[in-house]
Amino acid sequence: MTTSSPAATAPARMPRQIPFIIGNEACERFSFYGMRNILVQFLITSLLLQEVTAPGREAEAKHIMHSFMIGVYFFPLLGGWLADRFFGKYNTILWFSLVYCAGHACLAMFEGDRNGFFLGLGLIAFGAGGIKPLVASFMGDQFDQSNKQLAKVAFDAFYWIINFGSLFASLLIPLALKNLGPAWAFGIPGLLMFVATFVFWLGRRRYVHVAPPPEDPHSFAKVVRTALFARAPGQGRPGLVLAAVSVLLALAGFSLVGSLGIVICLCLALVLLLAGIGCGTWWQLERARGVHPDTAVDGVRSLLRVLVVFALVTPFFSLFDQKASTWVLQGREMVMPSWFTASQMQALNPLLVMLLIPFNNLVLYPLLRKFGYEPTALRRMTAGIAFSGLAWIVVGLIQVEMDGGDPMHIAWQILPYALLTLGEVLVSATGIEFAYSQAPASMKGVVMSFWYLTTTVGNLWVLLSNVAVRNDTVTGHIAGTGLSEPAFLMFFFAGFAFLAALAFGLYARRYRVVDHYRLA
């Protein structure tokens, strides 16, 4: 009779260092959501926008908030690159966290000074963005093939704790703004960010540190370069032409800075470059074989396929992030108790996430499997995008009633918040683990950066819609529908989500999932 060795039969154990990472995330998310959730409310009522007339102040506050969010989700590109190429995840997280703390200090100290306040927003965008792709990826590094089945539990706990911090921030910080003033309302999140940094530092001797790999002659960038510039007998280089055209279009787009603004032009340029270079590389990728090993070429092809998944998720985030702007502005016009603020409705989102994650894992997903339907990551994400569209149908119907003169209690927003949150759990909580699992070991930080870049592009669609409704021709067409501008845009974004869900579902049916967890 043969017996298994203890090592073979020992149950997998959760790494002891995971609580430090999750504790750090709880405090950091309190700090971020605490300041973000009051940003629009503060800008509308402060003197920072005193030169803007009352009718345009809400639109300007919304523009600033979404521009800030674009920055937060753009800088992950820098953080991921620095971690993967030079400093490793731990050091990059620690140093960006200190910049993050400085940004919070600026908000608290310069709440009445425009330059100081916007400097603080910039530092937070830089610091929060820099660490954003790395914390989840760093947590993934703590697992290997021997306990990777516990990674899903850890990622769910990670996302649950994000919402734990967000819940209390959404409940308490709007009250701090109302009763204690902006200095305290922005100062308290700053203190929590300092605590987050300290907790992360405490676990430094327990972490698994995956060192940045040495410069790879077969890296993603080098394979892309070879594919674009390689010549094939009797053939042109259409992929290189496409990439060059995207560069020219990106540069030409800056001529629109005067009408669109620098933030929109930078984001459009980024989208054009990613699309042109990515499609051009795909077109000519086989030319890199022989110069680079098949594994490197196949890895680039896999990554390009992941980026298509990411691109199709961007409409979801254009809907999701507007709960902190469009939905707050709607809530300000609704009936509510005197002690309540519209910003506090956002507490529903993390509260529902904390309930839905265990419900889905313990009840919904096992029930679906019992009936023969496997809720794969891509299926869950498809459904999540569709649920976000349903949420915006409901919030649009509420707006129509309000536009007709019927007073609506803010409790009516509970249903769209519930639908949007279900969509978030299906998209975001799933997407974090999906992005990590699909990334080759040498590019985990960068691939996670691209995942977070989906939110930048999502906020770009919001800014473009805001620019569009400033055009007389567009507003004339909207007026012809009989809907107000807010109601029209709500239904527009709902349709945007439904089209995205359809495209995502069709693409997901052909996507081949891979497994890039590290070996034990």
Side-chain angles (χ1 to χ4, degrees):
M1 182 177 68
T2 60
T3 58
S4 300
S5 67
T9 59
R13 297 179 59 182
M14 184 68 69
R16 292 189 305 162
Q17 61 271 32
I18 294 299
F20 291 96
I21 300 173
I22 290 180
N24 160 266
E25 189 70 7
C27 296
E28 186 271 327
R29 290 291 85 186
F30 183 103
S31 75
F32 179 79
Y33 287 112
M35 61 77 49
R36 192 203 70 167
N37 288 356
I38 63 171
L39 184 58
V40 169
Q41 178 78 23
F42 168 74
L43 291 172
I44 290 172
T45 56
S46 74
L47 298 178
L48 296 181
L49 302 180
Q50 58 183 326
E51 76 282 1
V52 182
T53 57
R57 190 170 295 177
E58 290 185 354
E60 183 64 18
K62 182 178 175 181
H63 182 86
I64 291 171
M65 201 283 287
H66 287 286
S67 297
F68 166 71
M69 292 300 293
I70 281 175
V72 169
Y73 288 92
F74 172 80
F75 283 115
L77 289 173
L78 176 62
W81 179 72
L82 289 175
D84 280 354
R85 188 67 186 88
F86 298 105
F87 306 118
K89 298 182 185 71
Y90 172 79
N91 290 323
T92 306
I93 293 169
L94 189 64
W95 287 106
F96 271 96
S97 294
L98 295 176
V99 175
Y100 198 163
C101 291
H104 276 294
C106 287
L107 296 192
M109 293 188 297
F110 301 115
E111 45 90 10
D113 179 84
R114 185 184 180 95
N115 292 332
F117 189 85
F118 287 144
L119 172 63
L121 286 181
L123 291 174
I124 290 176
F126 186 76
I131 70 173
K132 186 164 287 294
L134 302 177
V135 180
S137 180
F138 186 65
M139 186 174 73
D141 286 345
Q142 311 309 305
F143 294 89
D144 55 36
Q145 292 290 343
S146 69
N147 60 359
K148 70 176 185 179
Q149 67 272 25
L150 295 177
K152 185 182 186 306
V153 177
F155 276 108
D156 281 343
F158 183 83
Y159 204 76
W160 191 91
I161 207 69
I162 287 173
N163 290 277
F164 181 82
S166 175
L167 169 64
F168 287 98
S170 300
L171 288 173
L172 300 177
I173 300 304
L175 292 178
L177 178 64
K178 183 177 182 178
N179 298 310
L180 301 177
W184 277 103
F186 289 115
I188 294 171
L191 292 174
L192 266 292
M193 186 57 219
F194 175 80
V195 173
T197 306
F198 181 67
V199 169
F200 183 73
W201 176 81
L202 285 177
R204 65 196 181 280
R205 301 190 188 281
R206 301 189 181 190
Y207 298 135
V208 173
H209 296 273
V210 178
E215 187 171 1
D216 184 3
H218 308 296
S219 68
F220 175 77
K222 288 183 170 60
V223 174
V224 168
R225 178 188 173 95
T226 299
L228 289 176
F229 286 93
R231 295 182 180 274
Q235 299 180 34
R237 288 186 285 182
L240 180 60
V241 171
L242 179 59
V245 169
S246 72
V247 172
L248 293 175
L249 289 175
L251 293 173
F254 286 100
S255 64
L256 301 175
V257 167
S259 56
L260 296 181
I262 186 64
V263 173
I264 292 178
C265 288
L266 282 171
C267 289
L268 285 174
L270 179 63
V271 170
L272 287 169
L273 289 173
L274 290 175
I277 295 174
C279 291
T281 300
W282 183 276
W283 203 341
Q284 299 184 184
L285 185 57
E286 290 304 308
R287 300 184 184 186
R289 294 193 189 276
V291 180
H292 301 282
D294 288 347
T295 53
V297 177
D298 292 338
V300 170
R301 190 174 295 281
S302 295
L303 181 55
L304 292 175
R305 295 175 75 237
V306 171
L307 295 184
V308 176
V309 173
F310 291 178
L312 294 173
V313 171
T314 61
F316 167 80
F317 289 103
S318 68
L319 278 68
F320 180 73
D321 276 346
Q322 287 188 78
K323 68 180 175 59
S325 58
T326 303
W327 288 19
V328 170
L329 295 176
Q330 182 190 69
R332 282 168 51 86
E333 305 302 320
M334 302 178 83
V335 178
M336 69 189 80
S338 59
W339 52 268
F340 196 76
T341 70
S343 297
Q344 286 179 284
M345 282 299 290
Q346 294 175 84
L348 270 175
N349 172 249
L351 176 62
L352 289 170
V353 168
M354 293 164 66
L355 297 174
L356 284 171
I357 284 180
F359 173 80
N360 287 354
N361 288 329
L362 299 176
V363 180
L364 179 60
Y365 298 156
L367 187 63
L368 290 173
R369 293 187 183 102
K370 182 178 179 180
F371 286 98
Y373 185 84
E374 178 61 35
T376 64
L378 294 177
R379 286 174 175 174
R380 298 199 301 268
M381 294 169 75
T382 303
I385 299 170
F387 273 112
S388 71
L390 287 176
W392 277 73
I393 290 287
V394 175
V395 86
L397 292 173
I398 292 173
Q399 189 65 44
V400 169
E401 290 296 314
M402 293 171 60
D403 294 338
D406 293 336
M408 300 288 287
H409 196 277
I410 200 167
W412 281 101
Q413 283 192 336
I414 293 175
L415 178 57
Y417 267 103
L419 291 170
L420 188 67
T421 302
L422 178 57
E424 178 196 4
V425 170
L426 294 172
V427 174
S428 291
T430 303
I432 291 174
E433 183 192 1
F434 176 80
Y436 182 86
S437 69
Q438 301 304 290
S442 62
M443 293 182 289
K444 291 209 179 284
V446 172
V447 171
M448 293 297 288
S449 300
F450 279 116
W451 166 249
Y452 289 112
L453 193 62
T454 58
T455 302
T456 286
V457 180
N459 280 272
L460 170 63
W461 307 143
V462 179
L463 293 186
L464 287 173
S465 70
N466 289 343
V467 170
V469 296
R470 296 173 187 171
N471 182 280
D472 292 339
T473 302
V474 174
T475 54
H477 284 302
I478 293 175
T481 66
L483 298 171
S484 66
E485 286 182 14
F488 177 87
L489 287 174
M490 289 168 180
F491 291 124
F492 167 80
F493 277 108
F496 190 31
F498 289 135
L499 287 175
L502 176 62
F504 190 98
L506 292 174
Y507 184 76
R509 295 180 67 177
R510 300 187 295 110
Y511 184 88
R512 180 170 54 87
V513 177
V514 296
D515 180 353
H516 280 300
Y517 280 96
R518 66 182 175 88
L519 298 175

